[in-house]
PDB file of all heavy atoms in Angstrom:
ATOM      1  N   ARG A  17      10.160 -88.332  29.020  1.00 95.00           N
ATOM      2  CA  ARG A  17       9.408 -89.307  29.831  1.00 95.00           C
ATOM      3  C   ARG A  17      10.275 -89.674  31.012  1.00 95.00           C
ATOM      4  O   ARG A  17      11.361 -90.233  30.845  1.00 95.00           O
ATOM      5  CB  ARG A  17       9.046 -90.537  29.001  1.00 95.00           C
ATOM      6  CG  ARG A  17       8.043 -90.196  27.900  1.00 95.00           C
ATOM      7  CD  ARG A  17       7.746 -91.374  27.046  1.00 95.00           C
ATOM      8  NE  ARG A  17       6.811 -92.279  27.655  1.00 95.00           N
ATOM      9  CZ  ARG A  17       5.563 -92.440  27.256  1.00 95.00           C
ATOM     10  NH1 ARG A  17       5.082 -91.725  26.256  1.00 95.00           N
ATOM     11  NH2 ARG A  17       4.780 -93.313  27.835  1.00 95.00           N
ATOM     12  N   LEU A  18       9.782 -89.311  32.169  1.00 97.00           N
ATOM     13  CA  LEU A  18      10.582 -89.441  33.375  1.00 97.00           C
ATOM     14  C   LEU A  18       9.978 -90.495  34.297  1.00 97.00           C
ATOM     15  O   LEU A  18       8.850 -90.359  34.759  1.00 97.00           O
ATOM     16  CB  LEU A  18      10.603 -88.076  34.086  1.00 97.00           C
ATOM     17  CG  LEU A  18      11.226 -88.047  35.468  1.00 97.00           C
ATOM     18  CD1 LEU A  18      12.711 -88.385  35.394  1.00 97.00           C
ATOM     19  CD2 LEU A  18      11.037 -86.673  36.091  1.00 97.00           C
ATOM     20  N   SER A  19      10.749 -91.545  34.564  1.00 97.00           N
ATOM     21  CA  SER A  19      10.278 -92.564  35.495  1.00 97.00           C
ATOM     22  C   SER A  19      10.685 -92.142  36.902  1.00 97.00           C
ATOM     23  O   SER A  19      11.828 -91.718  37.117  1.00 97.00           O
ATOM     24  CB  SER A  19      10.894 -93.912  35.138  1.00 97.00           C
ATOM     25  OG  SER A  19      10.521 -94.866  36.108  1.00 97.00           O
ATOM     26  N   ILE A  20       9.754 -92.257  37.850  1.00 97.00           N
ATOM     27  CA  ILE A  20      10.108 -91.864  39.221  1.00 97.00           C
ATOM     28  C   ILE A  20      10.159 -93.063  40.171  1.00 97.00           C
ATOM     29  O   ILE A  20      10.507 -92.915  41.332  1.00 97.00           O
ATOM     30  CB  ILE A  20       9.184 -90.752  39.772  1.00 97.00           C
ATOM     31  CG1 ILE A  20       7.713 -91.195  39.752  1.00 97.00           C
ATOM     32  CG2 ILE A  20       9.367 -89.456  38.979  1.00 97.00           C
ATOM     33  CD1 ILE A  20       6.792 -90.247  40.528  1.00 97.00           C
ATOM     34  N   THR A  21       9.799 -94.235  39.656  1.00 97.00           N
ATOM     35  CA  THR A  21       9.927 -95.479  40.440  1.00 97.00           C
ATOM     36  C   THR A  21       9.827 -96.643  39.453  1.00 97.00           C
ATOM     37  O   THR A  21       9.165 -96.512  38.419  1.00 97.00           O
ATOM     38  CB  THR A  21       8.801 -95.609  41.493  1.00 97.00           C
ATOM     39  OG1 THR A  21       8.951 -96.861  42.171  1.00 97.00           O
ATOM     40  CG2 THR A  21       7.409 -95.547  40.894  1.00 97.00           C
ATOM     41  N   ASP A  22      10.461 -97.762  39.770  1.00 95.00           N
ATOM     42  CA  ASP A  22      10.211 -98.938  38.913  1.00 95.00           C
ATOM     43  C   ASP A  22       9.276 -99.927  39.628  1.00 95.00           C
ATOM     44  O   ASP A  22       8.967-100.988  39.126  1.00 95.00           O
ATOM     45  CB  ASP A  22      11.524 -99.611  38.456  1.00 95.00           C
ATOM     46  CG  ASP A  22      12.346-100.165  39.605  1.00 95.00           C
ATOM     47  OD1 ASP A  22      11.866-100.167  40.753  1.00 95.00           O
ATOM     48  OD2 ASP A  22      13.480-100.605  39.343  1.00 95.00           O
ATOM     49  N   GLU A  23       8.810 -99.518  40.808  1.00 96.00           N
ATOM     50  CA  GLU A  23       7.928-100.364  41.594  1.00 96.00           C
ATOM     51  C   GLU A  23       6.511-100.352  41.038  1.00 96.00           C
ATOM     52  O   GLU A  23       6.065 -99.321  40.535  1.00 96.00           O
ATOM     53  CB  GLU A  23       7.866 -99.746  43.000  1.00 96.00           C
ATOM     54  CG  GLU A  23       8.120-100.714  44.095  1.00 96.00           C
ATOM     55  CD  GLU A  23       8.199 -99.986  45.424  1.00 96.00           C
ATOM     56  OE1 GLU A  23       9.137 -99.186  45.611  1.00 96.00           O
ATOM     57  OE2 GLU A  23       7.300-100.220  46.249  1.00 96.00           O
ATOM     58  N   GLN A  43      18.250 -95.662  45.795  1.00 94.00           N
ATOM     59  CA  GLN A  43      17.103 -94.772  46.016  1.00 94.00           C
ATOM     60  C   GLN A  43      16.639 -94.223  44.670  1.00 94.00           C
ATOM     61  O   GLN A  43      17.460 -93.938  43.806  1.00 94.00           O
ATOM     62  CB  GLN A  43      17.546 -93.573  46.853  1.00 94.00           C
ATOM     63  CG  GLN A  43      18.013 -93.889  48.246  1.00 94.00           C
ATOM     64  CD  GLN A  43      16.836 -94.122  49.175  1.00 94.00           C
ATOM     65  OE1 GLN A  43      15.782 -93.519  48.989  1.00 94.00           O
ATOM     66  NE2 GLN A  43      17.004 -95.011  50.123  1.00 94.00           N
ATOM     67  N   PHE A  44      15.339 -94.033  44.534  1.00 96.00           N
ATOM     68  CA  PHE A  44      14.830 -93.381  43.328  1.00 96.00           C
ATOM     69  C   PHE A  44      15.198 -91.890  43.373  1.00 96.00           C
ATOM     70  O   PHE A  44      15.474 -91.354  44.452  1.00 96.00           O
ATOM     71  CB  PHE A  44      13.314 -93.549  43.240  1.00 96.00           C
ATOM     72  CG  PHE A  44      12.899 -94.989  43.201  1.00 96.00           C
ATOM     73  CD1 PHE A  44      12.015 -95.511  44.133  1.00 96.00           C
ATOM     74  CD2 PHE A  44      13.415 -95.838  42.237  1.00 96.00           C
ATOM     75  CE1 PHE A  44      11.656 -96.849  44.101  1.00 96.00           C
ATOM     76  CE2 PHE A  44      13.064 -97.176  42.197  1.00 96.00           C
ATOM     77  CZ  PHE A  44      12.182 -97.680  43.134  1.00 96.00           C
ATOM     78  N   LEU A  45      15.164 -91.247  42.233  1.00 97.00           N
ATOM     79  CA  LEU A  45      15.473 -89.814  42.163  1.00 97.00           C
ATOM     80  C   LEU A  45      14.640 -89.037  43.188  1.00 97.00           C
ATOM     81  O   LEU A  45      13.428 -89.269  43.317  1.00 97.00           O
ATOM     82  CB  LEU A  45      15.133 -89.270  40.769  1.00 97.00           C
ATOM     83  CG  LEU A  45      15.985 -89.753  39.598  1.00 97.00           C
ATOM     84  CD1 LEU A  45      15.446 -89.165  38.285  1.00 97.00           C
ATOM     85  CD2 LEU A  45      17.448 -89.397  39.778  1.00 97.00           C
ATOM     86  N   SER A  46      15.275 -88.115  43.883  1.00 98.00           N
ATOM     87  CA  SER A  46      14.553 -87.300  44.866  1.00 98.00           C
ATOM     88  C   SER A  46      13.866 -86.132  44.145  1.00 98.00           C
ATOM     89  O   SER A  46      14.168 -85.844  42.978  1.00 98.00           O
ATOM     90  CB  SER A  46      15.537 -86.734  45.891  1.00 98.00           C
ATOM     91  OG  SER A  46      16.384 -85.803  45.243  1.00 98.00           O
ATOM     92  N   GLU A  47      12.996 -85.454  44.882  1.00 98.00           N
ATOM     93  CA  GLU A  47      12.300 -84.293  44.299  1.00 98.00           C
ATOM     94  C   GLU A  47      13.329 -83.244  43.836  1.00 98.00           C
ATOM     95  O   GLU A  47      13.178 -82.641  42.771  1.00 98.00           O
ATOM     96  CB  GLU A  47      11.371 -83.713  45.360  1.00 98.00           C
ATOM     97  CG  GLU A  47      10.277 -82.856  44.796  1.00 98.00           C
ATOM     98  CD  GLU A  47       9.506 -82.165  45.907  1.00 98.00           C
ATOM     99  OE1 GLU A  47       9.254 -82.770  46.958  1.00 98.00           O
ATOM    100  OE2 GLU A  47       9.167 -80.977  45.712  1.00 98.00           O
ATOM    101  N   ILE A  50      15.016 -84.373  40.669  1.00 98.00           N
ATOM    102  CA  ILE A  50      14.063 -84.255  39.557  1.00 98.00           C
ATOM    103  C   ILE A  50      13.988 -82.799  39.086  1.00 98.00           C
ATOM    104  O   ILE A  50      14.000 -82.514  37.887  1.00 98.00           O
ATOM    105  CB  ILE A  50      12.678 -84.796  39.988  1.00 98.00           C
ATOM    106  CG1 ILE A  50      12.750 -86.322  40.149  1.00 98.00           C
ATOM    107  CG2 ILE A  50      11.596 -84.395  38.994  1.00 98.00           C
ATOM    108  CD1 ILE A  50      11.523 -86.962  40.770  1.00 98.00           C
ATOM    109  N   VAL A  65       6.660 -82.995  30.056  1.00 97.00           N
ATOM    110  CA  VAL A  65       7.220 -84.100  30.845  1.00 97.00           C
ATOM    111  C   VAL A  65       6.098 -85.075  31.170  1.00 97.00           C
ATOM    112  O   VAL A  65       5.024 -84.654  31.621  1.00 97.00           O
ATOM    113  CB  VAL A  65       7.841 -83.591  32.170  1.00 97.00           C
ATOM    114  CG1 VAL A  65       8.344 -84.763  33.019  1.00 97.00           C
ATOM    115  CG2 VAL A  65       8.984 -82.622  31.900  1.00 97.00           C
ATOM    116  N   ARG A  66       6.333 -86.345  30.914  1.00 97.00           N
ATOM    117  CA  ARG A  66       5.389 -87.371  31.369  1.00 97.00           C
ATOM    118  C   ARG A  66       6.024 -88.113  32.531  1.00 97.00           C
ATOM    119  O   ARG A  66       7.134 -88.638  32.410  1.00 97.00           O
ATOM    120  CB  ARG A  66       5.049 -88.362  30.250  1.00 97.00           C
ATOM    121  CG  ARG A  66       4.123 -89.502  30.745  1.00 97.00           C
ATOM    122  CD  ARG A  66       3.623 -90.373  29.619  1.00 97.00           C
ATOM    123  NE  ARG A  66       2.883 -89.591  28.645  1.00 97.00           N
ATOM    124  CZ  ARG A  66       1.601 -89.232  28.770  1.00 97.00           C
ATOM    125  NH1 ARG A  66       0.907 -89.619  29.827  1.00 97.00           N
ATOM    126  NH2 ARG A  66       1.015 -88.500  27.857  1.00 97.00           N
ATOM    127  N   ILE A  67       5.333 -88.147  33.649  1.00 98.00           N
ATOM    128  CA  ILE A  67       5.840 -88.844  34.832  1.00 98.00           C
ATOM    129  C   ILE A  67       5.300 -90.271  34.782  1.00 98.00           C
ATOM    130  O   ILE A  67       4.085 -90.490  34.723  1.00 98.00           O
ATOM    131  CB  ILE A  67       5.379 -88.151  36.132  1.00 98.00           C
ATOM    132  CG1 ILE A  67       5.640 -86.638  36.066  1.00 98.00           C
ATOM    133  CG2 ILE A  67       6.066 -88.764  37.324  1.00 98.00           C
ATOM    134  CD1 ILE A  67       5.029 -85.854  37.221  1.00 98.00           C
ATOM    135  N   THR A  68       6.215 -91.240  34.779  1.00 97.00           N
ATOM    136  CA  THR A  68       5.763 -92.607  34.610  1.00 97.00           C
ATOM    137  C   THR A  68       6.530 -93.526  35.554  1.00 97.00           C
ATOM    138  O   THR A  68       7.175 -93.093  36.502  1.00 97.00           O
ATOM    139  CB  THR A  68       5.862 -92.995  33.109  1.00 97.00           C
ATOM    140  OG1 THR A  68       5.408 -94.340  32.948  1.00 97.00           O
ATOM    141  CG2 THR A  68       7.257 -92.869  32.540  1.00 97.00           C
ATOM    142  N   GLY A  69       6.432 -94.829  35.309  1.00 95.00           N
ATOM    143  CA  GLY A  69       7.109 -95.794  36.178  1.00 95.00           C
ATOM    144  C   GLY A  69       7.197 -97.136  35.470  1.00 95.00           C
ATOM    145  O   GLY A  69       7.146 -97.171  34.235  1.00 95.00           O
ATOM    146  N   GLY A  70       7.161 -98.200  36.201  1.00 95.00           N
ATOM    147  CA  GLY A  70       6.449 -98.544  37.416  1.00 95.00           C
ATOM    148  C   GLY A  70       5.132 -97.776  37.566  1.00 95.00           C
ATOM    149  O   GLY A  70       4.631 -97.235  36.610  1.00 95.00           O
ATOM    150  N   GLU A  71       4.629 -97.790  38.782  1.00 98.00           N
ATOM    151  CA  GLU A  71       3.404 -97.034  39.032  1.00 98.00           C
ATOM    152  C   GLU A  71       3.783 -95.743  39.764  1.00 98.00           C
ATOM    153  O   GLU A  71       4.097 -95.762  40.958  1.00 98.00           O
ATOM    154  CB  GLU A  71       2.410 -97.884  39.831  1.00 98.00           C
ATOM    155  CG  GLU A  71       1.142 -97.146  40.222  1.00 98.00           C
ATOM    156  CD  GLU A  71       0.494 -96.366  39.075  1.00 98.00           C
ATOM    157  OE1 GLU A  71       0.436 -96.863  37.942  1.00 98.00           O
ATOM    158  OE2 GLU A  71       0.063 -95.217  39.313  1.00 98.00           O
ATOM    159  N   PRO A  72       3.771 -94.602  39.046  1.00 98.00           N
ATOM    160  CA  PRO A  72       4.280 -93.363  39.633  1.00 98.00           C
ATOM    161  C   PRO A  72       3.538 -92.942  40.899  1.00 98.00           C
ATOM    162  O   PRO A  72       4.124 -92.359  41.813  1.00 98.00           O
ATOM    163  CB  PRO A  72       4.101 -92.329  38.516  1.00 98.00           C
ATOM    164  CG  PRO A  72       3.147 -92.928  37.552  1.00 98.00           C
ATOM    165  CD  PRO A  72       3.297 -94.411  37.668  1.00 98.00           C
ATOM    166  N   SER A  73       2.227 -93.279  40.943  1.00 98.00           N
ATOM    167  CA  SER A  73       1.447 -92.785  42.082  1.00 98.00           C
ATOM    168  C   SER A  73       1.734 -93.567  43.360  1.00 98.00           C
ATOM    169  O   SER A  73       1.180 -93.240  44.417  1.00 98.00           O
ATOM    170  CB  SER A  73      -0.043 -92.819  41.756  1.00 98.00           C
ATOM    171  OG  SER A  73      -0.466 -94.146  41.549  1.00 98.00           O
ATOM    172  N   LEU A  74       2.617 -94.573  43.289  1.00 98.00           N
ATOM    173  CA  LEU A  74       3.015 -95.246  44.531  1.00 98.00           C
ATOM    174  C   LEU A  74       3.930 -94.347  45.362  1.00 98.00           C
ATOM    175  O   LEU A  74       4.101 -94.570  46.558  1.00 98.00           O
ATOM    176  CB  LEU A  74       3.739 -96.560  44.222  1.00 98.00           C
ATOM    177  CG  LEU A  74       2.852 -97.732  43.771  1.00 98.00           C
ATOM    178  CD1 LEU A  74       3.707 -98.932  43.398  1.00 98.00           C
ATOM    179  CD2 LEU A  74       1.854 -98.115  44.854  1.00 98.00           C
ATOM    180  N   ARG A  75       4.521 -93.341  44.715  1.00 97.00           N
ATOM    181  CA  ARG A  75       5.398 -92.437  45.474  1.00 97.00           C
ATOM    182  C   ARG A  75       4.571 -91.504  46.353  1.00 97.00           C
ATOM    183  O   ARG A  75       3.640 -90.856  45.875  1.00 97.00           O
ATOM    184  CB  ARG A  75       6.254 -91.589  44.508  1.00 97.00           C
ATOM    185  CG  ARG A  75       7.324 -92.373  43.820  1.00 97.00           C
ATOM    186  CD  ARG A  75       8.727 -92.069  44.151  1.00 97.00           C
ATOM    187  NE  ARG A  75       9.192 -90.791  44.539  1.00 97.00           N
ATOM    188  CZ  ARG A  75      10.336 -90.252  44.116  1.00 97.00           C
ATOM    189  NH1 ARG A  75      11.084 -90.888  43.216  1.00 97.00           N
ATOM    190  NH2 ARG A  75      10.760 -89.103  44.593  1.00 97.00           N
ATOM    191  N   LYS A  76       4.935 -91.434  47.610  1.00 97.00           N
ATOM    192  CA  LYS A  76       4.170 -90.592  48.553  1.00 97.00           C
ATOM    193  C   LYS A  76       4.288 -89.117  48.167  1.00 97.00           C
ATOM    194  O   LYS A  76       3.411 -88.319  48.474  1.00 97.00           O
ATOM    195  CB  LYS A  76       4.699 -90.788  49.973  1.00 97.00           C
ATOM    196  CG  LYS A  76       4.611 -92.228  50.450  1.00 97.00           C
ATOM    197  CD  LYS A  76       3.817 -92.327  51.731  1.00 97.00           C
ATOM    198  CE  LYS A  76       3.452 -93.721  52.184  1.00 97.00           C
ATOM    199  NZ  LYS A  76       3.663 -94.850  51.329  1.00 97.00           N
ATOM    200  N   ASP A  77       5.422 -88.762  47.515  1.00 98.00           N
ATOM    201  CA  ASP A  77       5.612 -87.357  47.155  1.00 98.00           C
ATOM    202  C   ASP A  77       5.186 -87.079  45.696  1.00 98.00           C
ATOM    203  O   ASP A  77       5.657 -86.124  45.086  1.00 98.00           O
ATOM    204  CB  ASP A  77       7.087 -86.946  47.365  1.00 98.00           C
ATOM    205  CG  ASP A  77       8.070 -87.864  46.637  1.00 98.00           C
ATOM    206  OD1 ASP A  77       7.620 -88.863  46.021  1.00 98.00           O
ATOM    207  OD2 ASP A  77       9.283 -87.582  46.666  1.00 98.00           O
ATOM    208  N   PHE A  78       4.289 -87.912  45.168  1.00 98.00           N
ATOM    209  CA  PHE A  78       3.878 -87.762  43.765  1.00 98.00           C
ATOM    210  C   PHE A  78       3.307 -86.360  43.484  1.00 98.00           C
ATOM    211  O   PHE A  78       3.721 -85.686  42.533  1.00 98.00           O
ATOM    212  CB  PHE A  78       2.867 -88.859  43.417  1.00 98.00           C
ATOM    213  CG  PHE A  78       2.468 -88.887  41.969  1.00 98.00           C
ATOM    214  CD1 PHE A  78       3.420 -88.844  40.962  1.00 98.00           C
ATOM    215  CD2 PHE A  78       1.129 -88.971  41.602  1.00 98.00           C
ATOM    216  CE1 PHE A  78       3.043 -88.872  39.618  1.00 98.00           C
ATOM    217  CE2 PHE A  78       0.753 -89.009  40.262  1.00 98.00           C
ATOM    218  CZ  PHE A  78       1.717 -88.953  39.273  1.00 98.00           C
ATOM    219  N   ALA A  79       2.379 -85.904  44.329  1.00 98.00           N
ATOM    220  CA  ALA A  79       1.768 -84.584  44.093  1.00 98.00           C
ATOM    221  C   ALA A  79       2.825 -83.484  44.192  1.00 98.00           C
ATOM    222  O   ALA A  79       2.816 -82.513  43.415  1.00 98.00           O
ATOM    223  CB  ALA A  79       0.634 -84.338  45.074  1.00 98.00           C
ATOM    224  N   ILE A  81       5.982 -83.785  43.466  1.00 98.00           N
ATOM    225  CA  ILE A  81       6.809 -83.853  42.244  1.00 98.00           C
ATOM    226  C   ILE A  81       6.082 -83.160  41.089  1.00 98.00           C
ATOM    227  O   ILE A  81       6.665 -82.374  40.342  1.00 98.00           O
ATOM    228  CB  ILE A  81       7.150 -85.327  41.901  1.00 98.00           C
ATOM    229  CG1 ILE A  81       8.086 -85.912  42.955  1.00 98.00           C
ATOM    230  CG2 ILE A  81       7.768 -85.450  40.504  1.00 98.00           C
ATOM    231  CD1 ILE A  81       8.319 -87.405  42.854  1.00 98.00           C
ATOM    232  N   ILE A  82       4.785 -83.441  40.954  1.00 98.00           N
ATOM    233  CA  ILE A  82       3.986 -82.784  39.901  1.00 98.00           C
ATOM    234  C   ILE A  82       4.107 -81.272  40.056  1.00 98.00           C
ATOM    235  O   ILE A  82       4.401 -80.540  39.102  1.00 98.00           O
ATOM    236  CB  ILE A  82       2.484 -83.177  40.018  1.00 98.00           C
ATOM    237  CG1 ILE A  82       2.276 -84.660  39.725  1.00 98.00           C
ATOM    238  CG2 ILE A  82       1.634 -82.306  39.085  1.00 98.00           C
ATOM    239  CD1 ILE A  82       0.873 -85.162  40.061  1.00 98.00           C
ATOM    240  N   ILE A  85       7.597 -79.874  39.163  1.00 98.00           N
ATOM    241  CA  ILE A  85       7.881 -79.861  37.707  1.00 98.00           C
ATOM    242  C   ILE A  85       7.048 -78.771  37.028  1.00 98.00           C
ATOM    243  O   ILE A  85       7.541 -78.028  36.170  1.00 98.00           O
ATOM    244  CB  ILE A  85       7.593 -81.240  37.067  1.00 98.00           C
ATOM    245  CG1 ILE A  85       8.544 -82.308  37.620  1.00 98.00           C
ATOM    246  CG2 ILE A  85       7.714 -81.164  35.535  1.00 98.00           C
ATOM    247  CD1 ILE A  85       8.307 -83.712  37.110  1.00 98.00           C
ATOM    248  N   THR A  96       0.896 -87.756  33.162  1.00 98.00           N
ATOM    249  CA  THR A  96       1.335 -88.999  33.801  1.00 98.00           C
ATOM    250  C   THR A  96       0.648 -90.176  33.136  1.00 98.00           C
ATOM    251  O   THR A  96      -0.379 -90.014  32.454  1.00 98.00           O
ATOM    252  CB  THR A  96       1.035 -88.995  35.318  1.00 98.00           C
ATOM    253  OG1 THR A  96       1.769 -90.055  35.928  1.00 98.00           O
ATOM    254  CG2 THR A  96      -0.430 -89.196  35.638  1.00 98.00           C
ATOM    255  N   VAL A 263      14.264 -90.731  31.012  1.00 96.00           N
ATOM    256  CA  VAL A 263      15.203 -90.841  32.119  1.00 96.00           C
ATOM    257  C   VAL A 263      14.598 -91.822  33.126  1.00 96.00           C
ATOM    258  O   VAL A 263      13.410 -91.722  33.469  1.00 96.00           O
ATOM    259  CB  VAL A 263      15.503 -89.474  32.766  1.00 96.00           C
ATOM    260  CG1 VAL A 263      16.334 -89.651  34.028  1.00 96.00           C
ATOM    261  CG2 VAL A 263      16.247 -88.569  31.784  1.00 96.00           C
ATOM    262  N   SER A 264      15.392 -92.788  33.555  1.00 95.00           N
ATOM    263  CA  SER A 264      14.894 -93.816  34.472  1.00 95.00           C
ATOM    264  C   SER A 264      14.847 -93.276  35.897  1.00 95.00           C
ATOM    265  O   SER A 264      15.421 -92.226  36.207  1.00 95.00           O
ATOM    266  CB  SER A 264      15.801 -95.047  34.420  1.00 95.00           C
ATOM    267  OG  SER A 264      16.984 -94.774  35.158  1.00 95.00           O
ATOM    268  N   SER A 265      14.204 -94.042  36.758  1.00 96.00           N
ATOM    269  CA  SER A 265      14.036 -93.617  38.157  1.00 96.00           C
ATOM    270  C   SER A 265      15.361 -93.599  38.908  1.00 96.00           C
ATOM    271  O   SER A 265      15.436 -93.100  40.020  1.00 96.00           O
ATOM    272  CB  SER A 265      13.049 -94.537  38.861  1.00 96.00           C
ATOM    273  OG  SER A 265      13.476 -95.887  38.729  1.00 96.00           O
ATOM    274  N   LEU A 266      16.420 -94.150  38.299  1.00 95.00           N
ATOM    275  CA  LEU A 266      17.741 -94.093  38.925  1.00 95.00           C
ATOM    276  C   LEU A 266      18.626 -93.059  38.230  1.00 95.00           C
ATOM    277  O   LEU A 266      19.828 -92.986  38.477  1.00 95.00           O
ATOM    278  CB  LEU A 266      18.400 -95.477  38.899  1.00 95.00           C
ATOM    279  CG  LEU A 266      17.617 -96.577  39.647  1.00 95.00           C
ATOM    280  CD1 LEU A 266      18.321 -97.925  39.530  1.00 95.00           C
ATOM    281  CD2 LEU A 266      17.417 -96.214  41.117  1.00 95.00           C
ATOM    282  N   ALA A 323       8.313-101.546  32.794  1.00 84.00           N
ATOM    283  CA  ALA A 323       8.305-100.920  34.133  1.00 84.00           C
ATOM    284  C   ALA A 323       9.723-100.529  34.542  1.00 84.00           C
ATOM    285  O   ALA A 323       9.918 -99.636  35.355  1.00 84.00           O
ATOM    286  CB  ALA A 323       7.710-101.872  35.165  1.00 84.00           C
ATOM    287  N   ILE A 325      12.285 -99.072  32.868  1.00 79.00           N
ATOM    288  CA  ILE A 325      12.810 -97.738  32.539  1.00 79.00           C
ATOM    289  C   ILE A 325      11.708 -96.715  32.317  1.00 79.00           C
ATOM    290  O   ILE A 325      11.963 -95.557  32.022  1.00 79.00           O
ATOM    291  CB  ILE A 325      13.791 -97.739  31.336  1.00 79.00           C
ATOM    292  CG1 ILE A 325      13.082 -98.086  30.032  1.00 79.00           C
ATOM    293  CG2 ILE A 325      14.968 -98.622  31.577  1.00 79.00           C
ATOM    294  CD1 ILE A 325      13.984 -97.845  28.834  1.00 79.00           C
ATOM    295  N   GLY A 326      10.470 -97.163  32.465  1.00 75.00           N
ATOM    296  CA  GLY A 326       9.353 -96.215  32.302  1.00 75.00           C
ATOM    297  C   GLY A 326       8.768 -96.326  30.919  1.00 75.00           C
ATOM    298  O   GLY A 326       9.374 -95.910  29.948  1.00 75.00           O
TER     299      GLY A 326
END
Side-chain angles (χ1 to χ4, degrees):
R17 293 177 79 109
L18 172 64
S19 175
I20 58 169
T21 177
D22 63 7
E23 230 173 295
Q43 296 281 328
F44 301 124
L45 292 177
S46 67
E47 200 188 321
I50 290 171
V65 177
R66 176 172 301 278
I67 311 171
T68 180
E71 176 47 41
S73 64
L74 284 176
R75 288 247 329 221
K76 301 237 170 350
D77 54 356
F78 185 48
I81 292 171
I82 294 170
I85 295 177
T96 194
V263 172
S264 77
S265 55
L266 300 178
I325 67 170

